Amino acid sequence: MIRLYDYLPSGNGYKVRLLLTQLQIPFERIELDIIEGNTRTPRFLRKFPNGRIPAVEFDDGRRLFESNAIIWHFAETTSLVPQDPFERARVLQWMFFEQYSHEPYIAVARFFAMHPDHPDERRGGLPRIIRGGYDALGVMELHLSGSGEGDHAREFFVGGQYTTADIALYAYTHVAHEGGFDLGNYPAIREWLARVKSQPRHIPITQG
Ligand SMILES: N[C@@H](CCC(=O)N[C@@H](CS)C(=O)NCC(=O)O)C(=O)O
C-alpha cells in the first residue's frame, strides 16, 4: 500500500489526498507535524532530502516528493490529464503557475495567519505576499471568465474538463480566505470552486 506522508492543514498534502480518493487508490496516511519539525528529522531526511510533505513511498521502495509531481504521476493515465500533448502542456503550465505564482503567496499568507507566533523570516514581506496572492487570483479570474482577447469563459482550467490543474489550484484557493484574501471580486473563481467541489468523491481539506 502507498504511504503518504502528510500534514492535515496542508493544501499541498490535500492535493494528493483528494486525488488518491477520487481515483479510489488506497493509501496509508502518516501525519507529520511540520510545526514540531517532524519532516526535518535525520530519519525523514534520509528518505526525503527536501524535508517537506507531501511525500509518498511505494511498497517497492520508490519515493516521490513535490505535490504536483505526485498528482501528475497518479493521474497521468486517467481522464484527469488530457491525452493531447498540447493540452497536457497546458495542464502543466497551470501546475507550474500554481507553484511559482500562487502557492508562495496564498499558502504562505494562510500559514502566517494560522501560526501567528511561528518564527519565519518571510513574515516581514507580508504586504508583498498579499499583493502576489491577489495577482495570482487576478490571473485565474481572467482565464476563467474568458475576458482576454478572443477568449471565452471556462468551466475548468484546461480543455473543458476537470484535470490536475484544477486540483493543484483548488487546494489553496478554496482556503484563501483563511489567509485574509477576499474573493468577493472574483465571481468566476467562486463559481469554479463550487464546480470543483461538486466533482465525484470530493473530500474536504479537513478529511484525512
Ligand atoms: N513545493 C512543495 C512544497 C511542500 C511544502 O512546502 N510543504 C510544507 C507543508 S505545506 C512542509 O512540509 N513544510 C515543512 C518544512 O519545511 O519543514 C510541494 O508542492 O509539495
Side-chain angles (χ1 to χ4, degrees):
M1 162 118 58
I2 296 154
R3 273 178 299 285
L4 167 64
Y5 295 90
D6 198 6
Y7 173 61
L8 203 54
S10 163
N12 288 318
Y14 173 54
K15 293 173 196 172
V16 181
R17 262 177 269 148
L18 174 59
L19 179 111
L20 291 176
T21 303
Q22 292 190 308
L23 292 179
Q24 297 181 289
I25 299 173
F27 62 99
E28 177 193 357
R29 213 179 66 81
I30 298 157
E31 177 81 1
L32 296 179
D33 189 340
I34 65 169
I35 303 301
E36 293 295 321
N38 291 346
T39 56
R40 300 291 168 150
T41 62
R43 187 158 171 247
F44 189 77
L45 290 171
R46 268 199 301 276
K47 287 188 175 182
F48 299 103
N50 198 30
R52 292 183 172 87
I53 61 86
V56 295
E57 193 170 25
F58 297 84
D59 284 340
D60 62 8
R62 287 177 306 156
R63 302 180 197 116
L64 197 57
F65 61 87
E66 284 294 329
S67 58
N68 287 351
I70 298 169
I71 63 172
W72 181 265
H73 169 70
F74 287 111
E76 211 190 357
T77 54
T78 75
S79 66
L80 294 175
V81 170
Q83 289 184 352
D84 175 74
F86 192 72
E87 295 291 279
R88 287 163 82 84
R90 278 189 164 144
V91 171
L92 288 173
Q93 162 193 285
W94 285 109
M95 292 170 78
F96 290 129
F97 166 83
E98 188 268 339
Q99 282 288 289
Y100 190 79
S101 304
H102 181 288
E103 193 260 15
Y105 304 107
I106 296 187
V108 171
R110 173 172 174 260
F111 182 82
F112 289 165
M114 289 172 95
H115 305 284
D117 301 325
H118 190 69
D120 193 312
E121 75 277 1
R122 295 170 300 177
R123 206 177 281 274
L126 189 57
R128 190 185 62 82
I129 287 171
I130 299 289
R131 250 191 337 271
Y134 277 115
D135 284 349
L137 293 171
V139 172
M140 292 168 67
E141 181 71 18
L142 197 61
H143 181 68
L144 291 169
S145 64
S147 315
E149 192 180 315
D151 214 354
H152 58 88
R154 294 179 173 84
E155 296 210 331
F156 295 104
F157 269 82
V158 180
Q161 70 184 83
Y162 178 57
T163 70
T164 53
D166 298 291
I167 293 178
L169 283 163
Y170 180 83
Y172 283 108
T173 308
H174 88 291
V175 287
H177 59 280
E178 295 177 9
F181 294 95
D182 178 3
L183 295 187
N185 289 330
Y186 301 86
I189 292 182
R190 284 190 273 111
E191 284 170 27
W192 164 78
L193 288 174
R195 229 171 271 131
V196 171
K197 191 176 173 186
S198 70
Q199 292 304 300
R201 293 186 290 277
H202 181 87
I203 55 165
I205 192 167
T206 47
Q207 185 174 323

